[in-house]
Amino acid sequence: MIIRLLYLVFLLGVTTTSIAQPKTPATGEIMYHVFQRSFYDSNGDSHGDLNGLRQKLGYLKELGVTSILLLPLYEADCYHNYFANDFESIDPEFGTLNEYLSLVRAIHAQGMKVYMDMETQYVTEKHAWWQSAVGNRDSPFSDYLLFDDSAHNTPATMIFGLRVLNGYDGRVIKVTTVNLKSKQVLDYNRRLFGFFLDPNQDGRFDDGVDGFRLDHAMDRLDDKPTLIDLFASFWKPLVDDLKKINPGITIIAEQADWTDYGFDYFHRAGVDRMFGFELRQAILSFDKSQLIHKADTTLRLCPPGKQQIVFLENHDIDRLASTIEDRSKQKVAAALMFYMGGVPAIYYGQEIGMQGKNKSFGNTDGNNIPVREAFDWYRSGEGLGTAMWYKRSGPWWDEVNNKANDGISLEEERADSGSLFNYYRTLIQVRQAHPALSGGQYSHALNDNERVFSFTRAHGPQRVLVIVNLSNEEQTASLLDPVQVQRSLFGSSRLKNNRIRLLPYEVTVFELK
């Protein structure tokens, strides 16, 4: 009821003095992509929640995080909260609207930003549009959904041609596609997104998100013939109108095709950031030629004023620690993520080496639970706040990755100076201390060794050189273009006469004269 009352205020267009906050530079931004249901449980119901996340903001500051990307918050039957029952209600397992607003204000008070994940292209049979429009052509929402028949008795399929999703908890969830060609739907999205930018309409934005992630954004949604040219007819108008409310926001889009660099989204949809899927593949390949090629395309060709998010994990793909078991290689991958360019994003638990791979347990969304397990706070694997909402709910529990005394927990790693957690903290501290690393232009630096990858970053008067041994053996490399080192910023090996000898999987960073 509270959110609907505030939402009504927004719909009525209460006049306020808008104070457009200037967009702060992304220099130094470190994103933390949190699956909030699995992060920290504040009330003992085993579900991570908004108050739990607020209680752990100190941990994120300790790590070095400067912005938080949430998964959807709206009410839904799916545990991941995509496919909404009601876009205007906070999932009660996460908390209340007031608790959400308290979280946003607390994040801002810490000097951090917050982004909200939104996917308004689909609704379930519990949504008001479905309940009113299915079988009723006279419904005020008859134009809001797609139908397979003229009588509007059969809602259209969703992604992959599906009509039904099977929940991990046994729920059968009917889903359909929203008609993004409807002017009423576009207007609704303007109001919905706009509400979360400035809930109390005071123009200060201290209670509003700093931007949105547009999940599964497409120019032609799921190859449906009626949903074409959506960049021009839906996404660009929506983005433009949101930036009229707050010019300082950042719009992030997830490309449906993970081989797409996202340039079309930048130019035609007006978004600010895309995900560097291809660069991620290159980093995990440990192949120098792939790194050179993908970095040149992802970073050097990125349009001015736009950015790529550089990441190793997210809620849809296998955990890095289960893909690459060698901890030394995990550290190299992390260094490349933080130092190559773009905006680095940590998926919750990545910083402590949490494990998990997507499984095939049948037709169920439980297949993805292994990459969305509870954050491992404690040596014992369980304890106050551990969000094991999936406990004893299916075969994913029988193969759970979270185990006691396995060296993979915040409690164990905090005290270990050589841990992955402390390595992440050090990487971030070095990055934040040097503008060239946090916001400089990437350029490949030639050397004579196919197992050694080197590049420079330049910002204003500062220029740094990063040299990485991609192999498990010592390597010697000579730079083909002479440089002068001012000082070493990271790593133990030294560059002398443009030549360096590197330990296995060593990362070195030098500030140049």
Side-chain angles (χ1 to χ4, degrees):
M1 179 61 71
I2 295 175
I3 192 169
R4 293 190 185 280
L5 290 174
L6 287 175
Y7 190 72
L8 179 60
V9 171
F10 189 87
L11 295 182
L12 293 174
V14 175
T15 302
T16 62
T17 301
S18 177
I19 305 171
Q21 295 180 340
K23 188 171 185 177
T24 56
T27 298
E29 184 165 357
I30 307 288
M31 296 180 67
Y32 195 81
H33 188 184
V34 62
F35 197 91
Q36 61 265 7
R37 189 176 297 279
S38 297
F39 194 58
Y40 193 81
D41 167 27
S42 71
N43 60 9
D45 67 354
S46 297
H47 292 266
D49 48 44
L50 299 170
N51 281 339
L53 180 54
R54 181 165 56 84
Q55 291 173 21
K56 289 299 181 180
L57 292 181
Y59 163 69
L60 298 182
K61 289 287 286 187
E62 175 191 0
L63 179 59
V65 167
T66 67
S67 64
I68 300 170
L69 171 59
L70 302 169
L71 261 74
L73 293 173
Y74 40 70
E75 185 182 338
D77 283 340
C78 294
Y79 70 87
H80 43 70
N81 291 83
Y82 293 106
F83 314 118
N85 295 338
D86 184 355
F87 294 121
E88 300 171 32
S89 296
I90 301 289
D91 187 327
E93 289 176 331
F94 292 149
T96 66
L97 175 63
N98 282 336
E99 289 167 343
Y100 161 75
L101 295 173
S102 294
L103 171 63
V104 172
R105 291 190 181 100
I107 290 171
H108 289 158
Q110 291 281 354
M112 295 191 287
K113 295 183 178 182
V114 58
Y115 306 112
M116 178 181 286
D117 196 347
M118 297 286 273
E119 185 182 60
T120 58
Q121 301 96 299
Y122 311 102
V123 296
T124 71
E125 64 178 331
K126 292 183 179 179
H127 195 281
W129 299 348
W130 179 306
Q131 296 195 354
S132 173
V134 174
N136 178 16
R137 289 192 60 93
D138 294 328
S139 165
F141 304 117
S142 63
D143 188 44
Y144 283 48
L145 305 179
L146 292 185
F147 291 91
D148 287 344
D149 62 325
S150 59
H152 286 194
N153 289 320
T154 307
T157 59
M158 56 168 293
I159 185 174
F160 304 133
L162 298 173
R163 297 185 189 275
V164 172
L165 299 174
N166 294 306
Y168 81 102
D169 53 1
R171 299 188 205 191
V172 177
I173 305 161
K174 294 182 180 179
V175 184
T176 192
T177 300
V178 173
N179 179 16
L180 299 187
K181 283 291 188 176
S182 164
K183 182 181 182 301
Q184 291 93 327
V185 168
L186 176 57
D187 288 343
Y188 176 85
N189 276 272
R190 285 169 170 145
R191 297 190 296 268
L192 176 69
F193 281 69
F195 168 78
F196 285 106
L197 286 180
D198 191 9
N200 65 5
Q201 281 284 279
D202 66 355
R204 294 173 58 85
F205 308 120
D206 61 312
D207 56 351
V209 296
D210 299 284
F212 299 96
R213 175 187 181 273
L214 308 177
D215 186 78
H216 195 62
M218 301 179 72
D219 190 38
R220 176 171 178 157
L221 183 60
D222 301 333
D223 287 325
K224 294 194 178 299
T226 57
L227 297 183
I228 60 174
D229 299 322
L230 292 176
F231 285 169
S233 64
F234 184 83
W235 295 114
K236 184 66 162 58
L238 176 61
V239 169
D240 287 348
D241 282 351
L242 296 178
K243 291 197 171 189
K244 290 176 184 176
I245 298 172
N246 182 358
I249 62 170
T250 298
I251 304 297
I252 304 163
E254 182 209 29
Q255 57 269 56
D257 178 1
W258 290 357
T259 64
D260 183 355
Y261 288 96
F263 296 153
D264 210 27
Y265 289 77
F266 289 139
H267 294 301
R268 297 179 53 222
V271 305
D272 302 298
R273 293 179 187 168
M274 298 297 297
F275 288 90
F277 282 98
E278 287 289 279
L279 184 55
R280 170 188 175 269
Q281 288 296 104
I283 291 173
L284 299 191
S285 75
F286 283 76
D287 181 275
K288 179 178 177 177
S289 62
Q290 284 198 46
L291 282 164
I292 293 170
H293 172 63
K294 301 301 184 183
D296 277 347
T297 307
T298 303
L299 301 174
R300 287 176 58 83
L301 298 183
C302 188
K306 307 295 184 179
Q307 294 174 310
Q308 295 279 358
I309 295 175
V310 183
F311 70 102
L312 303 175
E313 301 181 16
N314 67 24
H315 60 296
D316 291 324
I317 57 182
D318 294 343
R319 291 276 193 179
L320 174 66
S322 290
T323 304
I324 298 174
E325 295 183 3
D326 188 321
R327 186 56 60 93
S328 296
K329 293 183 72 174
Q330 293 173 30
K331 290 181 175 181
V332 170
L336 292 172
M337 180 188 79
F338 284 117
Y339 290 164
M340 287 185 72
V343 179
I346 306 166
Y347 182 52
Y348 84 104
Q350 174 186 325
E351 71 274 20
I352 58 173
M354 282 181 59
Q355 299 174 335
K357 284 190 173 184
N358 290 293
K359 299 286 187 176
S360 296
F361 296 116
N363 184 13
T364 170
D365 64 5
N367 291 328
N368 306 115
I369 288 177
V371 300
R372 303 167 179 177
E373 291 182 354
F375 187 94
D376 204 343
W377 297 100
Y378 306 107
R379 179 187 301 272
S380 65
E382 293 192 58
L384 183 67
T386 302
M388 287 188 176
W389 48 270
Y390 48 89
K391 193 171 186 177
R392 300 188 183 92
S393 62
W396 36 85
W397 176 254
D398 299 332
E399 301 180 20
V400 69
N401 295 284
N402 189 336
K403 295 180 174 61
N405 302 307
D406 60 358
I408 305 172
S409 72
L410 181 62
E411 181 180 2
E412 292 167 283
E413 295 192 36
R414 249 186 185 145
D416 178 4
S417 61
S419 69
L420 189 63
F421 168 72
N422 281 308
Y423 189 78
Y424 267 67
R425 289 190 66 211
T426 301
L427 288 175
I428 293 171
Q429 288 166 3
V430 172
R431 182 181 188 274
Q432 301 295 64
H434 301 284
L437 282 175
S438 59
Q441 180 68 35
Y442 163 90
S443 293
H444 173 227
L446 296 172
N447 70 64
D448 63 356
N449 188 322
E450 288 306 307
R451 308 299 297 277
V452 175
F453 176 51
S454 51
F455 57 91
T456 61
R457 302 282 306 283
H459 184 276
Q462 188 181 50
R463 186 164 171 254
V464 299
L465 169 68
V466 182
I467 307 177
V468 181
N469 183 354
L470 300 172
S471 78
N472 61 355
E473 299 175 342
E474 286 192 4
Q475 299 290 334
T476 300
S478 295
L479 297 172
L480 301 190
D481 296 315
V483 297
Q484 287 186 301
V485 172
Q486 180 165 307
R487 58 174 172 156
S488 173
L489 302 179
F490 188 85
S492 59
S493 295
R494 296 294 176 260
L495 184 67
K496 186 175 182 180
N497 297 324
N498 286 329
R499 191 167 178 81
I500 191 169
R501 185 175 184 85
L502 295 163
L503 299 172
Y505 295 124
E506 184 178 3
V507 177
T508 59
V509 183
F510 303 98
E511 184 174 16
L512 302 179
K513 293 181 180 179

